Amino acid sequence: MSPPAVVLAADDPEVVRLVRAAFEEEAVPLAVVATTDGATAAGHSPLGIGLGQRAGRIELVLAAASGSPYLVGDDARMMGRIAARLAARRPLGDLP
Amino acid sequence: MVVAGVDVGNATTEVAIARIGPGRPPEFLSVTRGPTTGAKGTAACADGVLDLIDRACRRLGEEPARILLADLHPVETGLRELSADEERDLGGVAVARPVSATPSGVGAAAGRLVDLDGLAGEPLGEPVIPIVPAIDFDEAAARLNDARARGWRVSAIIATADDGVLIGNRVDRALPIADEVTDAADLPRGAWAAVEVAPPGGAVSELADPLRLAVLLALDPARARGARNAARALVGHRAAIAVRGEASGGGSTRDAAPLATLADGSTIAVEAGTAPPPLGRVRTIEGVDAALLDAFWAPLPEPGDDARLALRLRARHAVGLAVLAERSGRDLEDALAERAGCEVVVVAAETAAAVAGASTTPGAGHAPIVIDMGGGTVDLHVGLDDAGRAVAAAGAGHLVDRICGAVLGVDHLRAEQAKRLPSVHVETPFILRHEDGSRTFLEQPAPARAVAHLCLAERRGASLDPLEADLAPEVWARLRRAAKRDVIAGNLRRAVEAIGGLPRGELAVLVGGCAEDQEVVDEVALALADLDLAIARGDILGRHGPRAAVAVGLVLLHAEAA
């Protein structure tokens, strides 16, 4: 069985580092896959929450509404924090 | 002849246009309402009155020959907030309460505040609390580990950024680390301080205890007593920082509550711990520049089953206050007469008009008991015999708004919505939890700003307005109902006592804006349950609900007299 993780689809090491840091701070599990498509990531996430990269930006996608991203931002740490808090059901804080 | 009955309330102005003539009942042509455009009874209200009349008359193609008014008494409603615990003399102890959801470690520790850069030198011979600026967490952790390896005794950490867990995981998971301390730059370097982090879901216990706080900050017993306000200011917070400063007066200074002078010359403090006197006894209140007919105050409601929240609310030292002032002039009448170009007649007291209007409710016949719950007052009129009795008690819908606003930390316009609308907690972008604990699923995801927040829900959740208050919908609903009970039902009991009681088994008709609120109707029914009354909501002219009773009643009374 897959762990109840949010899935990050990214190949940029700095994006991966910053998103991992956000998830570590929030104590929420994160899995990383090698694609960059947020909708695919959300589909792989048991929590239905995925992060992907498109045109240099970070997309947060919900599997239940994967037709368009839920949020898009440039700050990988912020987008990671939002995704982690969404999974943990905490207030999301600053938004892009 | 066409007349306009006008009821100028504290929030809403209502106008009933009717054609009247000898020997026949009034023919009501229009009933409209809009916002009151000034303090009740002042000339500024004329704008709103004339706007409503103009709009109605343009539609009808007729101008009123007379404007009919009730005898008005203005009501002022406000929130009196004495200095909160954290704003008082804290006995020389500064406090900070970071709002981070993810501090690190558990427990309390004390030490001397030092900058992270200060750890580059030789270790101090005592514990320290480094203040980490907003730098990369890996770099911060490396410098902290280096300092510890060189003999620095780090007892706790204060981080500016949201990096508490990241630093803790790389340094020591047991160390209490308060993060997201945005005002860390203001902490006095070199001062002795204490940091506490509670487990998830908990609240600080060491710093919220004045003796433990004194021990951690090495305060002598006299100063320990003076630190009680500082300790109280930290109750209910997951992470907290306390810093020892210069000794001050000992924490005994506090704002004095304003005094109310009663009809017999005695005085009483207007504060949360003092019950307002019976109706009509207050003559003046310090800071209120008017002779008074009545005053009423109520503290912020307290949840009976949550001591931590109750203490936080009590620490505000806030009371909602409503005063009913005597009227010195006829400004509104004069302004209307001058600008409308027609006769302006004061027909009756508001309560008498309310009874006449309420009696148009289908099935009511003559309404013997009318309870008019508006924005400013709860009016009780009893007309069981020829000599009707009526009282007006200061404090109604607006006072509930003020109290709701103080609990939620919102302005009175949003408070008015919060009083009226149901709330939900947005658990996930797709799931709403309602005030009764039930859940519904959204077809479209909720906005990100609403997630994990208490929200006001309009149109069954189609519109979500997030609030900052950290309250569950079940808790907020109890506080909201308690505010309505304390103010409106409590004030109604005062009115009942002032009028000498009510006969059992009679019909009581509820009118006014508050009567549209089912929670208020329920609280009134509960407050009067011992009287076994038939409590019914008014439906003015059979089509306007509980609104416009006074405006319609003025027309009826005027037609009757004519």
Side-chain angles (χ1 to χ4, degrees):
Chain A
M1 182 182 287
S2 304
V6 173
V7 174
L8 166 66
D11 53 9
D12 180 333
E14 184 59 8
V15 168
V16 172
R17 185 183 91 91
L18 291 171
V19 172
R20 276 194 192 283
F23 275 75
E24 183 183 341
E25 178 64 29
E26 299 293 332
V28 172
L30 175 73
V32 182
V33 296
T35 69
T36 58
D37 180 55
T40 304
H44 282 111
S45 164
L47 298 175
I49 302 171
L51 287 164
Q53 279 184 280
R54 185 189 296 271
R57 308 193 77 195
I58 313 296
E59 291 182 344
L60 193 163
V61 182
L62 305 175
S66 59
S68 60
Y70 185 55
L71 285 174
V72 179
D74 299 316
D75 183 335
R77 176 79 188 264
M78 175 191 278
M79 293 300 291
R81 186 201 70 220
I82 291 168
R85 289 185 178 185
L86 201 55
R89 302 185 179 189
R90 296 183 190 127
L92 308 183
D94 291 339
L95 298 170
Chain B
M1 175 172 54
V2 172
V3 298
V6 175
D7 177 23
V8 179
N10 285 277
T12 306
T13 295
E14 295 169 333
V15 172
I17 309 273
R19 182 176 289 111
I20 62 172
R24 57 190 171 91
E27 177 192 356
F28 283 92
L29 307 172
S30 156
V31 173
T32 55
R33 68 171 189 262
T36 298
T37 51
K40 183 175 178 177
T42 63
C45 299
D47 292 338
V49 172
L50 294 173
D51 181 53
L52 284 171
I53 292 175
D54 284 349
R55 277 193 279 152
C57 290
R58 269 202 306 275
R59 209 168 51 248
L60 298 169
E62 291 190 75
E63 295 286 328
R66 254 176 222 160
I67 293 176
L68 313 175
L69 291 178
D71 191 13
L72 303 172
H73 290 287
V75 177
E76 180 191 321
T77 304
L79 187 85
R80 299 292 162 112
E81 210 157 347
L82 303 180
S83 55
D85 279 339
E86 65 268 30
E87 296 162 346
R88 295 182 169 187
D89 183 344
L90 300 183
V93 176
V95 297
R97 297 163 297 180
V99 294
S100 168
T102 54
S104 180
V106 171
R112 198 160 301 282
L113 293 174
V114 294
D115 270 322
L116 184 62
D117 288 345
L119 300 182
E122 287 299 306
L124 293 180
E126 58 185 354
V128 295
I129 300 177
I131 300 169
V132 178
I135 62 172
D136 185 84
F137 54 89
D138 276 326
E139 180 191 346
R143 289 167 66 180
L144 288 161
N145 282 330
D146 174 63
R148 277 160 55 104
R150 289 184 291 106
W152 285 88
R153 288 160 53 200
V154 174
S155 58
I157 297 169
I158 293 171
T160 306
D162 183 18
D163 290 339
V165 174
L166 289 160
I167 293 172
N169 286 349
R170 285 155 182 77
V171 178
D172 184 346
R173 288 183 182 179
L175 280 178
I177 305 177
D179 64 349
E180 291 190 73
V181 183
T182 51
D183 52 358
D186 300 332
L187 293 172
R189 273 58 173 175
W192 192 257
V195 172
E196 181 175 1
V197 174
V204 295
S205 57
E206 302 276 305
L207 299 193
D209 177 324
L211 286 182
R212 289 295 304 144
L213 174 65
V215 169
L216 283 163
L217 294 185
L219 303 176
D220 61 40
R223 287 192 66 186
R225 286 158 179 74
R228 66 184 182 281
N229 284 338
R232 272 204 297 259
L234 299 175
V235 167
H237 293 271
R238 170 138 187 241
I241 300 165
V243 184
R244 186 174 72 187
E246 292 299 315
S248 63
S252 58
T253 315
R254 54 187 295 180
D255 289 347
L259 290 177
T261 302
L262 308 188
D264 63 3
S266 62
T267 58
I268 182 173
V270 180
E271 60 184 356
T274 309
L279 197 152
R281 298 275 175 83
V282 175
R283 289 290 170 269
T284 60
I285 292 179
E286 287 176 343
V288 178
D289 185 22
L292 304 181
L293 298 170
D294 187 35
F296 177 81
W297 58 88
L300 302 187
E302 289 185 358
D305 54 354
D306 187 341
R308 198 184 294 169
L309 176 58
L311 284 168
R312 269 169 52 192
L313 291 170
R314 193 174 290 186
R316 302 272 302 274
H317 303 287
V319 290
L321 169 67
V323 295
L324 180 63
E326 287 197 46
R327 215 172 154 214
S328 55
R330 298 280 165 193
D331 296 346
L332 176 59
E333 290 91 317
D334 295 344
L336 286 175
E338 184 183 326
R339 294 173 56 188
C342 66
E343 191 181 1
V344 176
V345 181
V346 175
V347 174
E350 282 181 290
T351 50
V355 169
S359 297
T360 67
T361 297
H366 169 67
I369 300 170
V370 174
I371 300 166
D372 185 1
M373 305 175 295
T377 56
V378 172
D379 299 346
L380 174 61
H381 190 105
V382 180
L384 287 168
D385 44 41
D386 289 343
R389 291 165 292 159
V391 292
H398 275 196
L399 190 55
V400 176
D401 295 347
R402 295 285 183 182
I403 291 172
C404 288
V407 172
L408 295 174
V410 297
D411 64 37
H412 70 275
L413 290 175
R414 286 186 83 203
E416 194 277 332
Q417 294 177 310
K419 174 185 74 176
R420 216 165 20 88
L421 295 173
S423 68
V424 295
H425 185 259
V426 183
E427 294 192 330
T428 76
F430 293 101
I431 297 176
L432 304 182
R433 190 175 87 246
H434 298 271
E435 292 177 352
D436 63 355
S438 64
R439 288 168 172 82
T440 52
F441 195 85
L442 294 172
E443 290 181 6
Q444 298 296 322
R449 64 191 174 86
V451 171
H453 280 279
L454 177 71
C455 294
L456 302 178
E458 276 193 279
R459 293 178 281 124
R460 296 184 178 181
S463 168
L464 296 167
D465 179 12
L467 300 163
E468 285 305 312
D470 183 19
L471 297 171
E474 299 90 332
V475 174
W476 163 239
R478 284 201 295 274
L479 294 173
R480 184 185 66 218
R481 287 184 187 128
K484 293 172 184 175
R485 181 166 54 247
D486 292 349
V487 172
I488 297 179
N491 224 351
L492 179 57
R493 289 303 307 197
R494 283 172 83 231
V496 170
E497 286 162 19
I499 214 164
L502 294 175
R504 299 175 66 86
E506 264 297 351
L507 169 68
V509 178
L510 308 182
V511 298
C514 290
E516 291 184 322
D517 184 338
Q518 187 59 43
E519 288 180 351
V520 171
V521 174
D522 292 344
E523 293 298 341
V524 166
L526 186 62
L528 301 180
D530 56 322
L531 297 173
D532 190 26
L533 296 170
I535 293 175
R537 206 192 308 245
D539 185 13
I540 310 307
L541 298 173
R543 56 183 183 274
H544 298 294
R547 293 278 195 171
V550 171
V552 167
L554 287 168
V555 172
L556 293 169
L557 292 176
H558 184 64
E560 196 177 294

